[in-house]
């Protein structure tokens, strides 16, 4: 199975700053079949980005995804209070679909 | 779009449980459906997914044949039969629309495996 490694494990930033989250795959993810999710405490995950760079419905444009092959990035251009959460990447190229272990974005 | 899971409970190791997910707000028979779990202190894990017709089913590697996914398109519902449960199966189980990216999630149902 494809192993996804997210870094950093925790990102401490003040509101208004730019956040850069990384997701590295153990093998090439074809056609950029990669998604990003946000999970706030006590809530279900929410789809943010699919196909590596396409925003889901209702995803604010401060969220952007990029990358291909084995290296993918989620950028939050200016952190809003509601953005402090855990973020997961997921590949849907090779079964079984797998998730990264998550990056927690916390308020500094 | 709504997905409502039910069936989570406290169960002893070695026991069985059946989770249900009732959906509304979309044409259920047109979509793959997926179960994902979140164990305490861990990340998200694919449990199983099933195609629109129930003919193709895929499972996470760690489940080793203990779980079975099914669906009833007449009832707009998807199910997860869990057998030979272990302590490490303790998690919140989410029902999710989609078989690639996962765009609508239920609120989850808690399964606790403990003596």
């Amino acid at each position: 199975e494809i192993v996804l490694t997210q870094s950093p494990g925790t990102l401490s930033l003040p509101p208004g700053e730019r956040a850069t989250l990384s997701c590295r795959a153990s093998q090439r993810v074809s056609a950029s079949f990669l998604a990003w999710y946000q999970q706030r405490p006590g809530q279900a995950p929410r789809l943010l980005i699919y196909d590596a760079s396409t925003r889901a419905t209702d995803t604010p444009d401060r969220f952007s995804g990029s990358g291909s092959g084995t290296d993918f990035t989620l950028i939050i251009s200016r952190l809003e209070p509601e953005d402090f959460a855990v973020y997961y990447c997921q590949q849907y190229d090779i079964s079984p679909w797998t998730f990264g272990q998550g990056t927690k974005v916390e308020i500094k | 779009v709504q997905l409502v899971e039910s069936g989570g409970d406290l169960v002893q190791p070695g026991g069985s449980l059946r989770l249900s997910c009732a959906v509304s707000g979309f044409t259920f028979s047109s979509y793959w459906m997926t179960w994902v779990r979140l164990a305490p202190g861990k990340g998200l894990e694919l449990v199983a997914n099933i195609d629109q017709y129930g003919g193709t089913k895929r499972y996470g590697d760690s489940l080793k044949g203990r779980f079975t996914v099914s669906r009833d398109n007449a009832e707009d519902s998807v199910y997860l039969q869990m057998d030979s449960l272990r302590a490490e199966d303790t998690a919140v189980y989410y029902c999710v629309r989609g078989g690639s990216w996962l765009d609508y999630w239920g609120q989850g149902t808690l399964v606790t495996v403990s003596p």
Side-chain angles (χ1 to χ4, degrees):
Chain A
E1 67 177 39
I2 294 179
V3 176
L4 299 178
T5 302
Q6 293 185 240
S7 61
T10 302
L11 193 54
S12 300
L13 292 167
E17 287 291 296
R18 175 186 176 99
T20 302
L21 288 68
S22 173
C23 176
R24 178 162 290 178
S26 60
Q27 61 190 85
R28 182 176 173 271
V29 177
S30 302
S32 299
F33 286 154
L34 188 116
W36 289 92
Y37 301 87
Q38 175 194 68
Q39 187 169 30
R40 297 173 178 144
Q43 296 187 15
R46 166 196 170 197
L47 175 67
L48 293 175
I49 301 281
Y50 62 93
D51 289 348
S53 61
T54 302
R55 288 188 201 90
T57 304
D58 297 333
T59 299
D61 59 9
R62 64 180 180 275
F63 291 89
S64 62
S66 64
S68 62
T70 60
D71 289 297
F72 298 86
T73 301
L74 175 71
I75 291 176
I76 311 170
S77 59
R78 287 170 40 92
L79 283 165
E80 299 287 341
E82 62 268 27
D83 299 338
F84 292 94
V86 179
Y87 293 83
Y88 296 94
C89 58
Q90 176 230 343
Q91 65 82 22
Y92 45 93
D93 178 23
I94 293 177
S95 181
W97 308 159
T98 49
F99 292 87
Q101 82 280 17
T103 290
K104 181 179 181 181
V105 179
E106 64 177 23
I107 299 175
K108 184 174 182 179
Chain B
V1 173
Q2 278 199 311
L3 302 94
V4 180
E5 304 95 336
S6 60
D9 204 348
L10 171 63
V11 60
Q12 292 191 341
S16 296
L17 211 54
R18 187 190 195 216
L19 305 184
S20 300
C21 173
V23 314
S24 60
F26 64 98
T27 304
F28 178 70
S29 59
S30 297
Y31 289 87
W32 279 71
M33 295 297 295
T34 297
W35 288 95
V36 174
R37 68 184 182 184
L38 181 64
K42 298 201 172 181
L44 297 171
E45 180 184 12
L46 172 78
V47 175
N49 52 29
I50 185 169
D51 75 359
Q52 297 93 321
Y53 316 105
T56 299
K57 303 175 185 182
R58 297 172 178 158
Y59 298 92
D61 280 354
S62 67
L63 301 178
K64 295 188 173 150
R66 297 182 296 119
F67 290 13
T68 303
V69 63
S70 62
R71 66 189 293 158
D72 184 340
N73 286 349
E75 295 292 328
D76 289 351
S77 294
V78 60
Y79 307 99
L80 185 68
Q81 177 66 40
M82 304 186 294
D83 298 318
S84 304
L85 283 162
R86 306 167 180 168
E88 55 264 36
D89 296 318
T90 294
V92 175
Y93 286 73
Y94 295 100
C95 170
V96 197
R97 188 178 84 169
S100 51
W101 67 81
L102 306 171
D103 60 358
Y104 285 95
W105 296 62
Q107 283 304 303
T109 188
L110 176 62
V111 173
T112 303
V113 184
S114 179

